[in-house]
Amino acid sequence: MEALIPVINKLQDVFSTIGAEAIQLPQIIVVGTQSSGKSSVIESLVGRDFLPRGSGIVTRRPLILQLVHVAKNDKEARHTDDAKGKRVGVIQADEWARFLHTKNKVFTDFDEVRQEIVEETDRLTGNNKGIAAEPISLKIFSPRVVNLTLVDLPGMTKIPVGDQPNDIEQQIREMITQYVDNPNSIILAVTPANQDFATSEAIKTAREFDPDGRRTLVVLTKLDLMDHGTDAVDVLIGRVIPIKLGIIGVVNRSQADINNKKPIDEALKDEVSFLQRRYPSLASRNGTAFLAKTLNRLLMHHIRDCLPELKTRVNVLSSQFQTVLSSYGEPVVDKSQTLLQIITRFASAYCATIDGTAKIIETTELCGGARICYIFHETFGRVMEFIDPLDGLSQLDVLTAIRNATGPRPALFVPEVSFELLVKRQIRRLEEPCLRCVELVHEEMQRIVQHCGLHTQHEMVRFPKLYEKIMDVVTGVLRSRLPDTNLMVENLVAIELAYINTKHPDFSEASMLSLLQIDKNHALKPGRPLANGELPASSSGNASPLRHTSSTSDASVKATNGDMAGSGDAAMSKSQVAEGGVPSSGGLGSWLFGGTGGAGAGGQKNGSMELDGNSLTPSRKAINLLPEVPEKAISRKLTSREHRDCQIIERLIKMYFLIVRKNIQDAVPKAIMHFLVNFIRDNLQSELVRQLYKHEILDDLLAESEQTALRRKEASEMLDALNRAGQIIGEVRETHVW
C-alpha cells in the first residue's frame, strides 16, 4: 500500500503540467493562520530548512510538496535524464529536490530551493506581499521522509499590508476553499497552543467544509510557549473539541533557533524530551515523527478509498475529451486533400438536404427538398388556383373589346380577335406568380447552405474563410442560374400567348357544350315570342347553333345589306332564327355563334325581335359605356344580345384560361427543377472545385481561427494527460491496494 502515494504524486505531476483541475486528487491540505507554525511543521516533516521564513505573510502561492522516500542504496532512483529522456548521470547526494517548472534541474542545496521558491513567487506576485493562486510544485527525495503529498497554503489574514488588495482576506479564503472543498483531500488544521483553541480559524474552516470531521486532522503547535501553569492535555485528548482523526501536538523551533540555524535533527530530539517531560502519558501519540506516520497512514487509506472512483473519473474524461478533440479535427497535413474532402462533404450534404436523404432530419420545420415541394404544390399551387379567370374583366371591357375589334362597321357577329385580346390579357396575369415561385425556390436553395452547414459545422468553425468562400460560390452559382430560369418561365407564358389554340381538344368540347347550354337558355326564356316556324331547342333535333349552310349565309347577308343600314346593333332575321344558320364570314361568330344574328331596324318586313320585352330602336346618341365599378348604376340596361355576347366571351375566356393555367401550373415546377435545382445539384461540387481548388489560395482558405487552434491544443494536452493518468492508475495492482 506504500506504493499508492507515489502513484498520486505521478498523477499530480501529469495534471500540474497542463494546469488541469478536472481530477480531484487525494492530498493533504495544510490550513492555518499567519505565523501559526505551518511552515515549521512542514520543515520538521522534511527534516531540512527550505521554506522562506520571516514575519507577516511569507507563503504567497500554494506549494504542492511531494515527499518521496528514497533508500540510500537505491541507485535507480538517482539517475538523471535530459529533456529527451536519455540518462545523463547519477545523483550523488542523499537528498535532492526538483521543481516542476525547472524540468530536470536537480537541487542538492536546499538554500537554493528556498531561493527558487522566493523568485518563482515574486515572478507572479511581485515583491511586496501580493498573492497568486497558481501553485508551485516541488518534489523532495530523501531517505528520512515518508511518502506524503502536502499543499501549503497562504496563512489566513485579516488586514492587508503593502501592495495587498483590500479584499486580501476574501482572496485567501477563496484560494483555501478551492483546495479544501475537494472531497478527496485531507485537511491538516494547524493551530497554536498558546491561543484559545475554541477561536481557531483553521478548525472553523475545516468544520465548514468537513462537518462530519472524517477528513480533518488537527496539529497543535507551540506547546512550549503556553503560559506557565497551563497545559494542553484536555485539548490533546479531545475534551475541548473532539476531532475524529485526532489532535497531535508538536514543538517547533523558535525564531531564535531559526536565526541561529539550529539543526532540525536537534530540534526533533528536544521535542521528544519536552513531550516526555511535560506530557509523559501522551508522548508516544504526539510529536513530529508520530505526525508523519499518521499522515502517511491516513493518506494511503484515503487514496485506497478514492482510487476506484478516480479511475472511473479518468476514463469518463478521456472519452469526453476524445470526442471534443475529434470535433476540432486533426491538424492539416495535406491541404489539397483536406480541401477536396471538405468540398465533397459539403456538396454531398447539400444534395442530401435537397433529396431528403440527410443523416440529420429536421423535425421542427420543413427544409431543403421538402420546402421546395411545399413551394410548388402549396404556395404556388394555391396562388394559381385562387386567380379568378375573369378578375379585372368587366362586361364593359368585353363590349368595348368587341366594338373596337369591328372598327367603323356595326357589329354583326362577335369577332374572334376580341376573344384573343381578352384571353391574352388574362393569361399575362399568370406570369407574376410564376416568377415569384422562381424567387422563392432560389431563396430556399440559398437557405439550404446554412442548413447543410450543420453537418459540417465543426469544419465551418475551424475554417471560417473557407466557409465564406463556399457561401460566395454557391450564391454566385445560384445567381447565375436565376436569369435562365426566369427566362424559361417567361417563355412558358409567352408560348401560351403566342398561339391561342381554339382547336384544343379540351377547349373545343367544353366550348360546344357551353354554347349549347347558352342557346338553350335563350330559346326557352320566358316571355320571349317565337318567330313563325321557329322551334324550341328542346323539340327540334336538327336545330343547332353550330350548323353552317349557304342559304342561311345568303339570308343573313341580305338582311345585313337591306335592313341593317344605319343601325348600331345587328339583328337576326327570321329565317336565320328559324333555321339556326350562321354566316360564312364574320370571324369567330361564323362557326361558334350560330343562331344569333342582328336585330332588324324598326322598318324590317318580318318585324323586329323583342328581347326582354323591349324592342331595340336605332339610336344616334353616343354609346353609354358601362362603369368601371360594377356596383355603380349604369345608364342603360344591357340588351339581351349584349348580355349573351358577354356571357359567351366570358365563358370561353374562363374555359381557355383554365386550360392554360393547368399547363403553366404543371410546366413551371418542371422548368425550375431542370434549370435551377437539378443544375445546382449536379454541378455544385465541380463548380466549388473549379473556383476554390487553387494552390495560391490554399493557405488562406485553410487558415484556422486562433480560438480553434488553441482549443484543440488544450484538448490534446488534456487527453494525453488523461491517457498517462489511466496508465499510471492501471499499474496499481490489487495487492498494492489491500
Side-chain angles (χ1 to χ4, degrees):
M1 216 165 99
E2 190 73 21
L4 292 179
I5 296 179
V7 169
I8 297 301
N9 291 343
K10 291 179 182 179
L11 293 178
Q12 282 183 332
D13 292 343
V14 168
F15 292 112
S16 295
T17 303
I18 60 174
E21 299 177 358
I23 299 295
Q24 295 178 324
L25 299 175
Q27 52 194 0
I28 299 174
I29 311 299
V30 183
V31 179
T33 57
Q34 284 186 20
S35 303
S36 61
K38 301 190 311 302
S39 298
S40 297
V41 170
I42 294 175
E43 285 184 339
S44 298
L45 293 173
V46 176
R48 299 297 296 262
D49 288 326
F50 68 95
L51 293 176
R53 308 303 290 268
S55 59
I57 184 169
V58 177
T59 304
R60 294 180 288 140
R61 285 179 61 182
L63 176 66
I64 299 177
L65 178 62
Q66 299 175 1
L67 304 182
V68 182
H69 177 79
V70 179
K72 290 185 178 181
N73 58 355
D74 188 355
K75 295 182 179 180
E76 185 67 23
R78 286 176 166 77
H79 284 292
T80 58
D81 301 330
D82 58 9
K84 298 181 180 180
K86 184 179 180 180
R87 291 185 176 181
V88 295
V90 178
I91 301 174
Q92 301 297 331
D94 292 339
E95 299 175 314
W96 70 94
R98 282 178 175 169
F99 286 95
L100 192 62
H101 64 271
T102 59
K103 304 301 180 184
N104 294 320
K105 184 178 180 180
V106 176
F107 294 83
T108 56
D109 186 350
F110 282 84
D111 289 336
E112 295 181 1
V113 173
R114 181 189 300 111
Q115 185 62 31
E116 181 66 26
I117 293 175
V118 172
E119 292 177 357
E120 183 66 14
T121 300
D122 292 343
R123 184 178 64 84
L124 286 184
T125 63
N127 55 6
N128 197 7
K129 308 300 182 182
I131 67 171
E134 184 178 342
I136 300 174
S137 294
L138 173 63
K139 185 179 293 187
I140 295 179
F141 303 83
S142 173
R144 299 189 297 177
V145 301
V146 295
N147 291 324
L148 278 180
T149 302
L150 303 169
V151 180
D152 186 20
L153 297 176
M156 290 178 282
T157 185
K158 299 290 185 181
I159 306 300
V161 296
D163 288 340
Q164 292 178 348
N166 294 330
D167 62 340
I168 183 66
E169 179 184 4
Q170 182 65 23
Q171 288 188 19
I172 294 177
R173 181 169 180 80
E174 291 176 356
M175 185 187 301
I176 293 173
T177 300
Q178 179 182 350
Y179 286 89
V180 298
D181 196 31
N182 175 10
N184 295 334
S185 64
I186 296 175
I187 303 174
L188 185 64
V190 179
T191 183
N194 57 356
Q195 294 182 5
D196 191 347
F197 193 68
T199 62
S200 172
E201 286 288 338
I203 296 178
K204 178 184 176 183
T205 302
R207 284 283 181 89
E208 181 179 349
F209 294 96
D210 180 30
D212 296 334
R214 296 181 179 179
R215 54 188 183 95
T216 300
L217 177 67
V218 176
V219 175
L220 197 62
T221 62
K222 302 182 181 181
L223 291 176
D224 56 332
L225 299 181
M226 296 183 67
D227 294 339
H228 292 290
T230 61
D231 59 35
V233 173
D234 291 342
V235 174
L236 292 174
I237 64 178
R239 290 178 180 173
V240 178
I241 298 178
I243 304 296
K244 288 184 179 181
L245 297 183
I247 302 174
I248 300 176
V250 297
V251 177
N252 299 326
R253 293 179 299 170
S254 65
Q255 188 62 43
D257 294 336
I258 295 173
N259 294 336
N260 295 329
K261 296 184 178 181
K262 181 179 179 179
I264 294 181
D265 292 340
E266 294 183 9
L268 293 176
K269 293 177 182 179
D270 293 343
E271 179 189 43
V272 173
S273 300
F274 176 82
L275 291 175
Q276 289 177 348
R277 185 176 65 255
R278 294 291 302 271
Y279 305 96
S281 61
L282 302 176
S284 61
R285 291 183 285 119
N286 289 278
T288 301
F290 182 77
L291 174 62
K293 293 178 182 179
T294 302
L295 290 175
N296 178 263
R297 175 177 55 82
L298 290 175
L299 184 58
M300 285 190 298
H301 284 82
H302 199 62
I303 293 172
R304 182 194 64 186
D305 296 338
C306 298
L307 199 58
E309 181 183 353
L310 190 63
K311 187 174 183 179
T312 303
R313 178 66 175 165
V314 168
N315 293 335
V316 171
L317 287 177
S318 296
S319 177
Q320 292 178 353
F321 276 92
Q322 181 64 55
T323 304
V324 171
L325 186 61
S326 300
S327 67
Y328 294 131
E330 296 295 330
V332 178
V333 178
D334 188 344
K335 294 186 176 181
S336 299
Q337 181 181 359
T338 302
L339 179 61
L340 289 177
Q341 290 175 349
I342 294 175
I343 289 176
T344 301
R345 280 195 291 269
F346 178 84
S348 299
Y350 191 92
C351 295
T353 304
I354 294 176
D355 297 336
T357 58
K359 295 180 180 179
I360 302 177
I361 300 296
E362 282 285 347
T363 58
T364 57
E365 63 175 351
L366 293 178
C367 62
R371 195 174 182 88
I372 293 175
C373 179
Y374 183 87
I375 292 172
F376 285 157
H377 302 292
E378 298 293 333
T379 306
F380 175 65
R382 287 183 179 179
V383 170
M384 294 291 285
E385 290 174 0
F386 287 157
I387 296 178
D388 186 0
L390 301 176
D391 187 25
L393 190 64
S394 63
Q395 288 185 330
L396 175 62
D397 297 331
V398 175
L399 289 176
T400 303
I402 294 173
R403 290 177 177 177
N404 286 337
T406 60
R409 298 182 302 279
L412 179 60
F413 304 105
V414 178
E416 184 177 355
V417 68
S418 62
F419 165 73
E420 289 196 10
L421 289 175
L422 293 174
V423 79
K424 285 182 179 180
R425 170 181 167 181
Q426 298 305 101
I427 292 175
R428 287 191 183 95
R429 296 171 53 231
L430 298 175
E431 183 174 338
E432 183 178 353
C434 294
L435 295 177
R436 177 57 182 164
C437 180
V438 176
E439 183 180 349
L440 290 176
V441 175
H442 174 268
E443 292 175 357
E444 179 57 26
M445 296 287 286
Q446 186 71 43
R447 183 174 174 267
I448 292 176
V449 178
Q450 301 175 352
H451 177 76
C452 71
L454 298 175
H455 304 277
T456 56
Q457 188 174 16
H458 63 280
E459 294 173 346
M460 299 299 103
V461 175
R462 184 180 178 187
F463 306 113
K465 292 184 179 179
L466 176 59
Y467 180 68
E468 292 176 2
K469 286 292 184 181
I470 289 177
M471 288 282 290
D472 293 342
V473 172
V474 176
T475 302
V477 176
L478 287 172
R479 189 182 298 115
S480 67
R481 297 304 303 169
L482 201 56
D484 292 343
T485 309
N486 284 333
L487 179 61
M488 183 60 195
V489 170
E490 291 171 354
N491 285 339
L492 290 176
V493 179
I495 288 171
E496 296 292 343
L497 293 172
Y499 182 64
I500 303 301
N501 183 17
T502 55
K503 288 291 186 180
H504 192 284
D506 296 339
F507 178 73
S508 297
E509 181 180 356
S511 61
M512 289 179 184
L513 295 175
S514 177
L515 292 177
L516 284 171
Q517 184 65 30
I518 293 175
D519 186 69
K520 174 182 176 182
N521 293 340
H522 278 272
L524 297 178
K525 191 169 184 179
R528 178 182 179 273
L530 296 177
N532 294 333
E534 182 180 5
L535 297 176
S538 58
S539 61
S540 176
N542 297 326
S544 173
L546 297 178
R547 189 173 66 186
H548 181 81
T549 61
S550 59
S551 62
T552 55
S553 299
D554 296 339
S556 62
V557 171
K558 291 178 182 179
T560 304
N561 293 334
D563 301 326
M564 301 283 298
S567 174
D569 297 315
M572 174 68 73
S573 66
K574 180 173 68 175
S575 61
Q576 283 177 300
V577 176
E579 297 184 10
V582 285
S584 59
S585 61
L588 186 62
S590 66
W591 64 276
L592 274 178
F593 304 145
T596 62
Q604 189 175 354
K605 294 180 181 180
N606 296 327
S608 60
M609 180 183 294
E610 293 182 1
L611 299 177
D612 298 329
N614 298 325
S615 60
L616 297 178
T617 57
S619 176
R620 299 181 183 275
K621 297 181 180 179
I623 297 175
N624 190 6
L625 298 178
L626 295 174
E628 294 183 1
V629 183
E631 292 81 8
K632 191 174 181 181
I634 57 177
S635 58
R636 68 176 177 83
K637 287 185 177 181
L638 292 179
T639 64
S640 176
R641 167 143 182 226
E642 290 173 338
H643 182 74
R644 182 176 57 179
D645 290 348
C646 290
Q647 188 177 10
I648 291 173
I649 290 293
E650 287 175 353
R651 289 200 178 189
L652 292 176
I653 290 174
K654 182 176 181 179
M655 287 184 292
Y656 195 83
F657 181 88
L658 293 178
I659 294 172
V660 173
R661 186 178 72 181
K662 179 181 177 181
N663 296 338
I664 294 295
Q665 194 170 346
D666 177 66
V668 167
K670 294 178 180 178
I672 295 175
M673 286 297 298
H674 176 72
F675 284 90
L676 183 62
V677 180
N678 290 344
F679 183 90
I680 297 297
R681 184 176 58 186
D682 297 338
N683 297 277
L684 178 61
Q685 182 173 351
S686 60
E687 193 66 24
L688 288 171
V689 172
R690 186 182 69 82
Q691 297 193 34
L692 299 181
Y693 190 69
K694 299 177 181 178
H695 291 286
E696 59 270 17
I697 62 174
L698 275 179
D699 294 336
D700 186 52
L701 291 179
L702 296 179
E704 288 186 303
S705 63
E706 296 181 0
Q707 187 177 15
T708 302
L710 178 61
R711 288 181 177 176
R712 188 200 300 107
K713 180 181 177 182
E714 293 175 351
S716 178
E717 292 176 350
M718 187 64 182
L719 183 60
D720 291 341
L722 289 168
N723 290 335
R724 292 199 302 271
Q727 294 175 357
I728 293 171
I729 296 176
E731 294 173 357
V732 180
R733 299 178 181 177
E734 293 297 329
T735 54
H736 291 163
V737 179
W738 302 102

